[in-house]
Amino acid sequence: TLVRGIRSLARDPKARGLLVLTLGLILGGAFFYRHVEDLSWVDSVYFSIVTLTTVGYGDIAPTTTAGKIFTMVYLLIGIGILVALVGEVASHLIRADTDRRERRADR
């Protein structure tokens, strides 16, 4: 079911677009934090992901005014995009499971 869901997801242009948008968002955030907050690349990607997933461990935080403003906007935009991606993945997995159950019932 998981493999079918992933295949279905890979064929869907909307899902691919959301995935590319999410990866671009993470990389864009990492680029910003690397250059404005002077974090390492690993810390920049880590902070971008932790921020977008709203985990917020608190081990890294923006220290500049520009970093704080960017992070507020980044969260408002990024959470919506990430939720849309997760919803799309879940939809494809549910659809694959439903198809599998229907095929099994038809036997």
Side-chain angles (χ1 to χ4, degrees), residues 50-96:
V50 167
T51 299
L52 288 177
T53 58
T54 69
V55 173
Y57 292 119
D59 53 344
I60 300 174
T63 55
T64 65
T65 300
K68 291 174 185 177
I69 292 170
F70 175 82
T71 301
M72 288 185 285
V73 174
Y74 188 61
L75 275 165
L76 291 172
I77 294 169
I79 290 172
I81 293 169
L82 195 61
V83 167
L85 177 65
V86 169
E88 195 66 27
V89 169
S91 173
H92 281 271
L93 292 175
I94 290 168
R95 193 172 311 123

Side-chain angles (χ1 to χ4, degrees), residues 8 24 34-35 62 78 87 90 104:
S8 169
R34 171 72 179 115
H35 294 286
R104 188 181 293 166

Side-chain angles (χ1 to χ4, degrees), residues 20-73:
V20 168
L21 187 59
T22 302
L23 291 174
L25 188 68
I26 291 168
L27 293 176
F31 183 83
F32 177 87
Y33 293 123
R34 171 72 179 115
H35 294 286
V36 174
E37 292 294 325
D38 200 31
L39 298 175
S40 70
W41 281 110
V42 171
D43 283 344
S44 296
V45 172
Y46 165 80
F47 183 62
S48 295
I49 292 171
V50 167
T51 299
L52 288 177
T53 58
T54 69
V55 173
Y57 292 119
D59 53 344
I60 300 174
T63 55
T64 65
T65 300
K68 291 174 185 177
I69 292 170
F70 175 82
T71 301
M72 288 185 285
V73 174

